[in-house]
Amino acid sequence: MGRYFNIVFYITILIIFIGVPLNVVCADSILDSLQVKIQDVKSDTAKLNLIIDFINHTSFENDNEVELCYKKGKELSRSTEDKTFLLRLINACAKKYFVLGKNELSEEKYETLALESNAYKNTEFLIESKIGLARILFSKSENIQAKAMLNNARTIAFKNYPKLFARILSDLSSILRAEGKMDDGLALLDSSINILTCYNPSVDLAIAYSGKGRIYRQLGDNVLAKENYLEAEKISKFLNDQRSLSAIYNNLGNIAHVTGEYLDAITYYMNSKEIKEKSNNRKGIAIAIHNIAAIKFDMKSWDSALEGFKKADEIAREIEFKILSVLNLWKIGNIYQEKQEYITAIEFHNNGLNLAKEIDYPRGVIGNSNGLGVDYLSLNRFSEAYDALFNGLELAEKIGSKPYQSALLVSIANLYHKDNEINSSNNLEFSTLSYNRDWNIEQLLLNAKKFANEMNNAENKLAALEGLNAYYQSTNNYYKISIVSKELIAIKDSLFSEQRNKAITEWEAKYLTNEQEKEILKLENEKKLTALKAQKFKEQIIWFFILTGLLGFISYIILKQNNAKRKAKERESFRSKLSSDLHDDVGSILTGIAMQSELLSMFVDESKKSKVEDLATMSRDAMERMRDTIWAIDSRKDKMQDLKDRILDHAENSFQLKNIELFFDENLADNEQKINPEIRQNTFLIFKEAIANILKYSSCDKVEVSVNIKNKHLMLKVHDNGNLDNIKIKTSGTGLSNMRMR
């Protein structure tokens, strides 16, 4: 019964949360908000300015809302002679589509902007269209095409549009950074910053400082990276540019993350995510989800981290953000690696490696190569591990990435140590597998530690120290073990202190709470929020009473059915017990009487012998009747098969002594089908009376008996081939009347 209540309860809760209609702010409300802003403005040009500003700064839920605002602005632009308004409108919509992750719509608008700019001979917005199209190409990792587009725009902007020229340099540096050309990227950013500092502080200047921060991060110089990001933060706060701030907070979170300052990292990530959600920046949201999952990964919350990376990858694939897809595949592979599911880890790392090669993304190639190397190492597939790790290290050295060199050196050192250990235990000569390198395990680990110290990368330093500790243990170098152990204890205390764990737990609770309240926080209009809550509350009250009544009714029906089933089981149990008791107790008594009577008839004189024999006959007749009663009572005999067997047994036993031939036919659809006990008993007694009449009054030598189901009715037919002896018939008997009654 408890199981039924649980089912009903969960169904009811599901209905409450799914069935209750929720009011949402739709496209009409966006237009209403826009109409409120422009209703008191008289001139069309002023209205257009407000519409463009509205598109730039409003958080849209979907592309339909942007399109409705665009149509409204385009309608107004027809009445103005200055076509710059139309170009600004198209540019604003193209940027908003890009933020929403709608690359196809954004590309379409930028192409329209290019056509309109050519038609109206507006070079400024022609350059804007080229910059926008290049960013879309870069987001899809089509770097060659993006670079060509930017260089074309750079040529046009060189003399007359210095600010746009500076933006182009900044965007080109991003492509060079992705290609591993760090020095060239820094040179372009320095030029961009020099140009932009001649003007008032701008968003583009903040973006340029952020670009430098990214390059220094990739070079492993977290100190310089943080300095540039903080400079960018200062400018963005002054301009109140939330979009730039969200990207800056994200990168500051990355720096705090790798240096082991988890609480700072969490704060930065949360600030970034909050801004991105307000602007519905799908690319930014995907990055934020990825970064928060990375924190959970470091806390060894594998399942929660896996869910986050998969969610981030789902958005990344939808908006064709291939670089993030590479990083997600890498991290998902690392999770399966930690869960010791190495075959699955290899699959994800291979997919990430192939995608990174396809889009020419060196960081992705290095990270997934390192992941594959560790996977193969765990499976003792040393040759494949060497290939993966040294390919990764070669590329890391080529692009000058110290963080990756540090991680790969640790992996190579661990690989060498395990390979050497296994070969030594098997008395085999260790082979470098054709790699011409100086195999100094200690030096590899010391180099890894050196890189980690230079970058202040706590995780890599911990891995290097653990590797050194294992190496010194194997060589019994107790002096160096003591030195390394002290460093290990210090860094573990800083990374895994009780205070830090408590703070992380508090953050997780705060994060979950924020996630649950996210939908409510999106509603910025207080009046609409109040009306929505009131309406929702009213609907929930109505649904509550409806569902409570429904739950009560369903519970009553279930209880009633359960009670009926329980009583039926009790009756069946009672009938089974009663039939067993009758068979065991009364049956044994009657059998004893019959046997005693037969024995007694052998010793009495002839005058009394017939009476004793009558007593034996009566006893056996009573036993036969009792068997019928027991069969009728027994709940274990309630199936069609039992009725058929009983009819057949009685007929065969009755006709055997008179040499009457029996023809039996049955057509029961389901022998296991249950039959009402009363119907079963009456049917058998009718049949028994029919057989008795045949034996008494018929001169037959053949009897046909058929039992079948027809139109949901039980049909019993008994037919003989004999003649009726009217002289023997007793009209005073009750057999036929009993049959009719039954």
Side-chain angles (χ1 to χ4, degrees), residues 510-544:
K510 179 183 176 183
Y511 172 70
L512 290 172
T513 302
N514 286 343
E515 286 291 294
Q516 291 166 357
E517 294 176 352
K518 183 171 60 179
E519 293 301 320
I520 295 175
L521 292 175
K522 284 182 180 178
L523 301 173
E524 298 174 354
N525 190 311
E526 192 63 35
K527 290 182 180 179
K528 288 184 179 180
L529 179 59
T530 304
L532 179 65
K533 285 184 175 179
Q535 180 65 24
K536 185 178 175 182
F537 179 75
K538 187 189 295 183
E539 290 171 351
Q540 286 177 335
I541 289 294
I542 293 169
W543 276 97
F544 173 79

mmCIF file of all heavy atoms in Angstrom, residues 510-544:
data_model
loop_
_atom_site.group_PDB
_atom_site.id
_atom_site.type_symbol
_atom_site.label_atom_id
_atom_site.label_comp_id
_atom_site.label_asym_id
_atom_site.label_seq_id
_atom_site.Cartn_x
_atom_site.Cartn_y
_atom_site.Cartn_z
ATOM 1 N N LYS A 510 25.530 28.628 -1.575
ATOM 2 C CA LYS A 510 25.138 29.919 -2.158
ATOM 3 C C LYS A 510 24.914 29.785 -3.659
ATOM 4 O O LYS A 510 23.954 30.328 -4.215
ATOM 5 C CB LYS A 510 26.246 30.947 -1.883
ATOM 6 C CG LYS A 510 25.956 32.334 -2.462
ATOM 7 C CD LYS A 510 27.132 33.256 -2.193
ATOM 8 C CE LYS A 510 26.897 34.618 -2.854
ATOM 9 N NZ LYS A 510 28.049 35.525 -2.668
ATOM 10 N N TYR A 511 25.799 29.032 -4.317
ATOM 11 C CA TYR A 511 25.680 28.837 -5.766
ATOM 12 C C TYR A 511 24.373 28.133 -6.127
ATOM 13 O O TYR A 511 23.659 28.541 -7.039
ATOM 14 C CB TYR A 511 26.870 28.012 -6.254
ATOM 15 C CG TYR A 511 26.760 27.575 -7.684
ATOM 16 C CD1 TYR A 511 26.857 28.485 -8.726
ATOM 17 C CD2 TYR A 511 26.535 26.231 -7.993
ATOM 18 C CE1 TYR A 511 26.748 28.088 -10.038
ATOM 19 C CE2 TYR A 511 26.418 25.820 -9.306
ATOM 20 C CZ TYR A 511 26.536 26.743 -10.321
ATOM 21 O OH TYR A 511 26.416 26.336 -11.612
ATOM 22 N N LEU A 512 24.043 27.075 -5.379
ATOM 23 C CA LEU A 512 22.803 26.339 -5.650
ATOM 24 C C LEU A 512 21.587 27.228 -5.428
ATOM 25 O O LEU A 512 20.622 27.192 -6.187
ATOM 26 C CB LEU A 512 22.732 25.094 -4.760
ATOM 27 C CG LEU A 512 23.731 23.987 -5.108
ATOM 28 C CD1 LEU A 512 23.703 22.896 -4.048
ATOM 29 C CD2 LEU A 512 23.434 23.397 -6.475
ATOM 30 N N THR A 513 21.646 28.041 -4.369
ATOM 31 C CA THR A 513 20.535 28.959 -4.090
ATOM 32 C C THR A 513 20.376 29.956 -5.234
ATOM 33 O O THR A 513 19.262 30.234 -5.685
ATOM 34 C CB THR A 513 20.784 29.712 -2.766
ATOM 35 O OG1 THR A 513 20.945 28.754 -1.719
ATOM 36 C CG2 THR A 513 19.621 30.628 -2.446
ATOM 37 N N ASN A 514 21.503 30.485 -5.706
ATOM 38 C CA ASN A 514 21.446 31.441 -6.819
ATOM 39 C C ASN A 514 20.869 30.808 -8.077
ATOM 40 O O ASN A 514 20.107 31.441 -8.812
ATOM 41 C CB ASN A 514 22.853 31.976 -7.117
ATOM 42 C CG ASN A 514 23.316 32.967 -6.075
ATOM 43 O OD1 ASN A 514 22.512 33.489 -5.313
ATOM 44 N ND2 ASN A 514 24.614 33.206 -6.015
ATOM 45 N N GLU A 515 21.231 29.559 -8.318
ATOM 46 C CA GLU A 515 20.707 28.858 -9.488
ATOM 47 C C GLU A 515 19.189 28.708 -9.403
ATOM 48 O O GLU A 515 18.475 28.881 -10.375
ATOM 49 C CB GLU A 515 21.363 27.476 -9.598
ATOM 50 C CG GLU A 515 22.799 27.521 -10.070
ATOM 51 C CD GLU A 515 22.901 27.954 -11.515
ATOM 52 O OE1 GLU A 515 22.437 27.228 -12.393
ATOM 53 O OE2 GLU A 515 23.431 29.047 -11.762
ATOM 54 N N GLN A 516 18.697 28.386 -8.198
ATOM 55 C CA GLN A 516 17.255 28.177 -8.020
ATOM 56 C C GLN A 516 16.472 29.480 -8.162
ATOM 57 O O GLN A 516 15.329 29.501 -8.610
ATOM 58 C CB GLN A 516 16.990 27.554 -6.645
ATOM 59 C CG GLN A 516 17.497 26.116 -6.536
ATOM 60 C CD GLN A 516 17.553 25.631 -5.098
ATOM 61 O OE1 GLN A 516 17.272 26.388 -4.171
ATOM 62 N NE2 GLN A 516 17.933 24.384 -4.901
ATOM 63 N N GLU A 517 17.107 30.572 -7.777
ATOM 64 C CA GLU A 517 16.395 31.855 -7.818
ATOM 65 C C GLU A 517 16.660 32.639 -9.104
ATOM 66 O O GLU A 517 16.189 33.767 -9.269
ATOM 67 C CB GLU A 517 16.828 32.709 -6.618
ATOM 68 C CG GLU A 517 16.399 32.103 -5.278
ATOM 69 C CD GLU A 517 16.923 32.917 -4.107
ATOM 70 O OE1 GLU A 517 17.729 33.846 -4.339
ATOM 71 O OE2 GLU A 517 16.534 32.629 -2.968
ATOM 72 N N LYS A 518 17.388 32.049 -10.020
ATOM 73 C CA LYS A 518 17.820 32.750 -11.224
ATOM 74 C C LYS A 518 16.650 33.292 -12.043
ATOM 75 O O LYS A 518 16.687 34.430 -12.514
ATOM 76 C CB LYS A 518 18.655 31.787 -12.072
ATOM 77 C CG LYS A 518 19.242 32.387 -13.308
ATOM 78 C CD LYS A 518 20.228 31.418 -13.947
ATOM 79 C CE LYS A 518 19.542 30.133 -14.332
ATOM 80 N NZ LYS A 518 20.481 29.188 -14.990
ATOM 81 N N GLU A 519 15.608 32.465 -12.206
ATOM 82 C CA GLU A 519 14.474 32.879 -13.031
ATOM 83 C C GLU A 519 13.760 34.093 -12.440
ATOM 84 O O GLU A 519 13.336 34.990 -13.158
ATOM 85 C CB GLU A 519 13.485 31.716 -13.177
ATOM 86 C CG GLU A 519 14.020 30.546 -13.983
ATOM 87 C CD GLU A 519 14.416 30.952 -15.376
ATOM 88 O OE1 GLU A 519 13.680 31.763 -15.982
ATOM 89 O OE2 GLU A 519 15.459 30.494 -15.858
ATOM 90 N N ILE A 520 13.626 34.116 -11.106
ATOM 91 C CA ILE A 520 12.942 35.240 -10.456
ATOM 92 C C ILE A 520 13.770 36.517 -10.573
ATOM 93 O O ILE A 520 13.242 37.607 -10.815
ATOM 94 C CB ILE A 520 12.674 34.911 -8.965
ATOM 95 C CG1 ILE A 520 11.692 33.738 -8.875
ATOM 96 C CG2 ILE A 520 12.105 36.110 -8.224
ATOM 97 C CD1 ILE A 520 11.444 33.251 -7.464
ATOM 98 N N LEU A 521 15.091 36.371 -10.449
ATOM 99 C CA LEU A 521 15.962 37.551 -10.504
ATOM 100 C C LEU A 521 15.984 38.204 -11.882
ATOM 101 O O LEU A 521 16.363 39.368 -12.009
ATOM 102 C CB LEU A 521 17.390 37.157 -10.106
ATOM 103 C CG LEU A 521 17.574 36.750 -8.637
ATOM 104 C CD1 LEU A 521 18.989 36.265 -8.404
ATOM 105 C CD2 LEU A 521 17.262 37.921 -7.707
ATOM 106 N N LYS A 522 15.608 37.447 -12.915
ATOM 107 C CA LYS A 522 15.580 38.005 -14.262
ATOM 108 C C LYS A 522 14.483 39.050 -14.426
ATOM 109 O O LYS A 522 14.539 39.883 -15.314
ATOM 110 C CB LYS A 522 15.382 36.876 -15.291
ATOM 111 C CG LYS A 522 16.629 36.034 -15.549
ATOM 112 C CD LYS A 522 16.331 35.001 -16.617
ATOM 113 C CE LYS A 522 17.557 34.152 -16.894
ATOM 114 N NZ LYS A 522 17.291 33.110 -17.905
ATOM 115 N N LEU A 523 13.467 38.973 -13.606
ATOM 116 C CA LEU A 523 12.338 39.912 -13.737
ATOM 117 C C LEU A 523 12.686 41.214 -13.030
ATOM 118 O O LEU A 523 12.671 41.303 -11.804
ATOM 119 C CB LEU A 523 11.075 39.287 -13.130
ATOM 120 C CG LEU A 523 10.635 37.956 -13.755
ATOM 121 C CD1 LEU A 523 9.508 37.345 -12.985
ATOM 122 C CD2 LEU A 523 10.228 38.173 -15.198
ATOM 123 N N GLU A 524 13.058 42.210 -13.804
ATOM 124 C CA GLU A 524 13.550 43.450 -13.218
ATOM 125 C C GLU A 524 12.441 44.441 -12.930
ATOM 126 O O GLU A 524 12.594 45.319 -12.091
ATOM 127 C CB GLU A 524 14.575 44.090 -14.176
ATOM 128 C CG GLU A 524 15.799 43.213 -14.406
ATOM 129 C CD GLU A 524 16.736 43.790 -15.455
ATOM 130 O OE1 GLU A 524 16.368 44.799 -16.074
ATOM 131 O OE2 GLU A 524 17.823 43.226 -15.631
ATOM 132 N N ASN A 525 11.345 44.324 -13.594
ATOM 133 C CA ASN A 525 10.240 45.256 -13.374
ATOM 134 C C ASN A 525 9.466 44.825 -12.142
ATOM 135 O O ASN A 525 8.833 43.778 -12.122
ATOM 136 C CB ASN A 525 9.325 45.264 -14.609
ATOM 137 C CG ASN A 525 8.311 46.382 -14.542
ATOM 138 O OD1 ASN A 525 7.643 46.564 -13.530
ATOM 139 N ND2 ASN A 525 8.184 47.128 -15.625
ATOM 140 N N GLU A 526 9.485 45.664 -11.078
ATOM 141 C CA GLU A 526 8.890 45.275 -9.798
ATOM 142 C C GLU A 526 7.385 45.064 -9.903
ATOM 143 O O GLU A 526 6.840 44.132 -9.296
ATOM 144 C CB GLU A 526 9.190 46.367 -8.750
ATOM 145 C CG GLU A 526 8.866 45.953 -7.319
ATOM 146 C CD GLU A 526 9.721 44.791 -6.872
ATOM 147 O OE1 GLU A 526 10.896 44.699 -7.266
ATOM 148 O OE2 GLU A 526 9.187 43.962 -6.121
ATOM 149 N N LYS A 527 6.703 45.887 -10.664
ATOM 150 C CA LYS A 527 5.254 45.749 -10.770
ATOM 151 C C LYS A 527 4.882 44.455 -11.467
ATOM 152 O O LYS A 527 3.966 43.747 -11.034
ATOM 153 C CB LYS A 527 4.665 46.938 -11.540
ATOM 154 C CG LYS A 527 4.719 48.245 -10.771
ATOM 155 C CD LYS A 527 4.066 49.368 -11.566
ATOM 156 C CE LYS A 527 4.124 50.686 -10.798
ATOM 157 N NZ LYS A 527 3.505 51.801 -11.555
ATOM 158 N N LYS A 528 5.597 44.159 -12.559
ATOM 159 C CA LYS A 528 5.312 42.920 -13.284
ATOM 160 C C LYS A 528 5.638 41.703 -12.435
ATOM 161 O O LYS A 528 4.938 40.695 -12.461
ATOM 162 C CB LYS A 528 6.106 42.878 -14.592
ATOM 163 C CG LYS A 528 5.588 43.848 -15.637
ATOM 164 C CD LYS A 528 6.353 43.701 -16.931
ATOM 165 C CE LYS A 528 5.822 44.663 -17.985
ATOM 166 N NZ LYS A 528 6.554 44.554 -19.259
ATOM 167 N N LEU A 529 6.723 41.815 -11.666
ATOM 168 C CA LEU A 529 7.108 40.707 -10.794
ATOM 169 C C LEU A 529 6.046 40.451 -9.737
ATOM 170 O O LEU A 529 5.672 39.309 -9.462
ATOM 171 C CB LEU A 529 8.459 41.019 -10.131
ATOM 172 C CG LEU A 529 9.003 39.971 -9.162
ATOM 173 C CD1 LEU A 529 9.190 38.634 -9.861
ATOM 174 C CD2 LEU A 529 10.313 40.434 -8.556
ATOM 175 N N THR A 530 5.532 41.540 -9.148
ATOM 176 C CA THR A 530 4.489 41.400 -8.126
ATOM 177 C C THR A 530 3.226 40.784 -8.714
ATOM 178 O O THR A 530 2.616 39.878 -8.124
ATOM 179 C CB THR A 530 4.154 42.785 -7.524
ATOM 180 O OG1 THR A 530 5.353 43.369 -7.020
ATOM 181 C CG2 THR A 530 3.134 42.654 -6.409
ATOM 182 N N ALA A 531 2.829 41.285 -9.897
ATOM 183 C CA ALA A 531 1.633 40.748 -10.558
ATOM 184 C C ALA A 531 1.823 39.282 -10.916
ATOM 185 O O ALA A 531 0.912 38.462 -10.761
ATOM 186 C CB ALA A 531 1.326 41.563 -11.810
ATOM 187 N N LEU A 532 3.017 38.953 -11.390
ATOM 188 C CA LEU A 532 3.302 37.573 -11.766
ATOM 189 C C LEU A 532 3.212 36.648 -10.557
ATOM 190 O O LEU A 532 2.606 35.571 -10.621
ATOM 191 C CB LEU A 532 4.698 37.493 -12.377
ATOM 192 C CG LEU A 532 5.175 36.102 -12.812
ATOM 193 C CD1 LEU A 532 4.329 35.570 -13.948
ATOM 194 C CD2 LEU A 532 6.636 36.143 -13.213
ATOM 195 N N LYS A 533 3.805 37.094 -9.443
ATOM 196 C CA LYS A 533 3.775 36.266 -8.234
ATOM 197 C C LYS A 533 2.347 36.080 -7.726
ATOM 198 O O LYS A 533 1.952 34.982 -7.307
ATOM 199 C CB LYS A 533 4.637 36.911 -7.137
ATOM 200 C CG LYS A 533 6.129 36.748 -7.357
ATOM 201 C CD LYS A 533 6.902 37.330 -6.182
ATOM 202 C CE LYS A 533 8.389 37.076 -6.318
ATOM 203 N NZ LYS A 533 9.164 37.654 -5.194
ATOM 204 N N ALA A 534 1.559 37.187 -7.742
ATOM 205 C CA ALA A 534 0.172 37.104 -7.267
ATOM 206 C C ALA A 534 -0.644 36.144 -8.131
ATOM 207 O O ALA A 534 -1.391 35.304 -7.620
ATOM 208 C CB ALA A 534 -0.464 38.493 -7.276
ATOM 209 N N GLN A 535 -0.481 36.287 -9.456
ATOM 210 C CA GLN A 535 -1.214 35.410 -10.371
ATOM 211 C C GLN A 535 -0.785 33.953 -10.197
ATOM 212 O O GLN A 535 -1.612 33.037 -10.159
ATOM 213 C CB GLN A 535 -0.958 35.859 -11.814
ATOM 214 C CG GLN A 535 -1.667 35.026 -12.879
ATOM 215 C CD GLN A 535 -3.177 35.144 -12.801
ATOM 216 O OE1 GLN A 535 -3.698 36.124 -12.286
ATOM 217 N NE2 GLN A 535 -3.871 34.132 -13.296
ATOM 218 N N LYS A 536 0.507 33.776 -10.091
ATOM 219 C CA LYS A 536 1.035 32.419 -9.927
ATOM 220 C C LYS A 536 0.548 31.808 -8.618
ATOM 221 O O LYS A 536 0.176 30.630 -8.564
ATOM 222 C CB LYS A 536 2.566 32.465 -9.957
ATOM 223 C CG LYS A 536 3.225 31.104 -9.923
ATOM 224 C CD LYS A 536 4.728 31.254 -10.009
ATOM 225 C CE LYS A 536 5.408 29.907 -9.856
ATOM 226 N NZ LYS A 536 6.879 30.013 -9.895
ATOM 227 N N PHE A 537 0.541 32.631 -7.542
ATOM 228 C CA PHE A 537 0.090 32.142 -6.248
ATOM 229 C C PHE A 537 -1.377 31.729 -6.300
ATOM 230 O O PHE A 537 -1.780 30.690 -5.773
ATOM 231 C CB PHE A 537 0.305 33.227 -5.184
ATOM 232 C CG PHE A 537 -0.147 32.823 -3.813
ATOM 233 C CD1 PHE A 537 0.611 31.935 -3.064
ATOM 234 C CD2 PHE A 537 -1.331 33.311 -3.264
ATOM 235 C CE1 PHE A 537 0.211 31.543 -1.795
ATOM 236 C CE2 PHE A 537 -1.741 32.920 -2.009
ATOM 237 C CZ PHE A 537 -0.976 32.044 -1.268
ATOM 238 N N LYS A 538 -2.193 32.574 -6.966
ATOM 239 C CA LYS A 538 -3.624 32.263 -7.082
ATOM 240 C C LYS A 538 -3.832 30.954 -7.836
ATOM 241 O O LYS A 538 -4.628 30.098 -7.420
ATOM 242 C CB LYS A 538 -4.330 33.407 -7.819
ATOM 243 C CG LYS A 538 -5.861 33.257 -7.849
ATOM 244 C CD LYS A 538 -6.496 34.300 -8.767
ATOM 245 C CE LYS A 538 -6.287 35.710 -8.228
ATOM 246 N NZ LYS A 538 -6.970 36.724 -9.069
ATOM 247 N N GLU A 539 -3.106 30.809 -8.947
ATOM 248 C CA GLU A 539 -3.232 29.581 -9.734
ATOM 249 C C GLU A 539 -2.767 28.367 -8.948
ATOM 250 O O GLU A 539 -3.381 27.293 -9.007
ATOM 251 C CB GLU A 539 -2.410 29.709 -11.017
ATOM 252 C CG GLU A 539 -2.985 30.698 -12.005
ATOM 253 C CD GLU A 539 -2.049 30.971 -13.166
ATOM 254 O OE1 GLU A 539 -0.887 30.514 -13.107
ATOM 255 O OE2 GLU A 539 -2.471 31.644 -14.105
ATOM 256 N N GLN A 540 -1.698 28.546 -8.174
ATOM 257 C CA GLN A 540 -1.195 27.421 -7.380
ATOM 258 C C GLN A 540 -2.178 27.021 -6.287
ATOM 259 O O GLN A 540 -2.320 25.832 -5.984
ATOM 260 C CB GLN A 540 0.162 27.775 -6.779
ATOM 261 C CG GLN A 540 1.288 27.769 -7.806
ATOM 262 C CD GLN A 540 2.607 28.196 -7.222
ATOM 263 O OE1 GLN A 540 2.654 28.927 -6.217
ATOM 264 N NE2 GLN A 540 3.700 27.769 -7.836
ATOM 265 N N ILE A 541 -2.854 28.024 -5.692
ATOM 266 C CA ILE A 541 -3.864 27.706 -4.666
ATOM 267 C C ILE A 541 -4.991 26.890 -5.290
ATOM 268 O O ILE A 541 -5.440 25.870 -4.726
ATOM 269 C CB ILE A 541 -4.427 29.012 -4.044
ATOM 270 C CG1 ILE A 541 -3.371 29.684 -3.165
ATOM 271 C CG2 ILE A 541 -5.685 28.725 -3.239
ATOM 272 C CD1 ILE A 541 -2.986 28.899 -1.931
ATOM 273 N N ILE A 542 -5.456 27.338 -6.469
ATOM 274 C CA ILE A 542 -6.540 26.615 -7.154
ATOM 275 C C ILE A 542 -6.098 25.197 -7.475
ATOM 276 O O ILE A 542 -6.806 24.221 -7.201
ATOM 277 C CB ILE A 542 -6.952 27.365 -8.447
ATOM 278 C CG1 ILE A 542 -7.591 28.713 -8.079
ATOM 279 C CG2 ILE A 542 -7.924 26.520 -9.272
ATOM 280 C CD1 ILE A 542 -7.795 29.644 -9.266
ATOM 281 N N TRP A 543 -4.898 25.102 -8.055
ATOM 282 C CA TRP A 543 -4.387 23.771 -8.395
ATOM 283 C C TRP A 543 -4.160 22.923 -7.149
ATOM 284 O O TRP A 543 -4.336 21.702 -7.177
ATOM 285 C CB TRP A 543 -3.079 23.899 -9.178
ATOM 286 C CG TRP A 543 -3.302 24.130 -10.638
ATOM 287 C CD1 TRP A 543 -3.305 25.319 -11.306
ATOM 288 C CD2 TRP A 543 -3.571 23.136 -11.624
ATOM 289 N NE1 TRP A 543 -3.566 25.134 -12.631
ATOM 290 C CE2 TRP A 543 -3.730 23.799 -12.872
ATOM 291 C CE3 TRP A 543 -3.696 21.746 -11.587
ATOM 292 C CZ2 TRP A 543 -3.996 23.118 -14.041
ATOM 293 C CZ3 TRP A 543 -3.968 21.065 -12.770
ATOM 294 C CH2 TRP A 543 -4.119 21.749 -13.967
ATOM 295 N N PHE A 544 -3.759 23.606 -6.053
ATOM 296 C CA PHE A 544 -3.528 22.865 -4.807
ATOM 297 C C PHE A 544 -4.802 22.173 -4.345
ATOM 298 O O PHE A 544 -4.801 20.980 -4.000
ATOM 299 C CB PHE A 544 -3.010 23.824 -3.727
ATOM 300 C CG PHE A 544 -2.892 23.188 -2.367
ATOM 301 C CD1 PHE A 544 -1.819 22.377 -2.066
ATOM 302 C CD2 PHE A 544 -3.881 23.394 -1.403
ATOM 303 C CE1 PHE A 544 -1.713 21.780 -0.819
ATOM 304 C CE2 PHE A 544 -3.776 22.804 -0.162
ATOM 305 C CZ PHE A 544 -2.692 21.997 0.136
#
